[in-house]
Amino acid sequence: DYDTLLETISAGALNSPLYSLKGEKIKAGDFEKHFSIDLLFKDLNLALTESDRQGIPLGVTSACREVFSGAVGMDLGDLDMCALIKFYRRLAENK
């Protein structure tokens, strides 16, 4: 239930203006591109390349990159980053 999810996150430490905006867009099924999955995937790769160069492990960033890699592999890369929900829905449907 999106309403319960949005209300719960908005009341806690994870609340942010970006989450409030994107959460409502996910609920409405509005994936108009403002910042694409492709661009976020590129940025994650850049961050990890630099962290490797510096010898600084970024485990959570690596995990995020793998999720976004899966979304790119499902041809979702040209959609807004909040369309990542489509990746998770497809995974759930194929279990």
Side-chain angles (χ1 to χ4, degrees):
D1 176 49
Y2 285 115
D3 289 325
T4 302
L5 178 65
L6 289 172
E7 181 180 328
T8 302
I9 292 177
S10 295
L14 295 177
N15 188 28
S16 71
L18 180 62
Y19 178 78
S20 296
L21 173 69
K22 294 299 183 182
E24 288 295 331
K25 290 192 175 294
I26 290 169
K27 179 181 170 187
D30 177 2
F31 303 113
E32 178 186 351
K33 183 170 50 177
H34 296 115
F35 195 81
S36 72
I37 287 173
D38 281 337
L39 287 176
L40 192 46
F41 180 61
K42 173 196 62 84
D43 288 351
L44 290 167
N45 279 314
L46 290 171
L48 288 167
T49 297
E50 182 60 21
S51 73
D52 286 346
R53 194 176 75 72
Q54 296 290 330
I56 302 168
L58 296 178
V60 173
T61 305
S62 294
C64 287
R65 178 186 57 187
E66 294 311 307
V67 170
F68 279 89
S69 176
V72 169
M74 288 183 179
D75 293 324
L76 300 172
D78 195 43
L79 298 175
D80 188 73
M81 65 181 172
C82 70
L84 190 63
I85 188 104
K86 290 183 171 205
F87 169 76
Y88 286 113
R89 284 181 184 152
R90 288 182 189 174
L91 288 180
E93 291 168 0
N94 291 321
K95 63 177 181 167

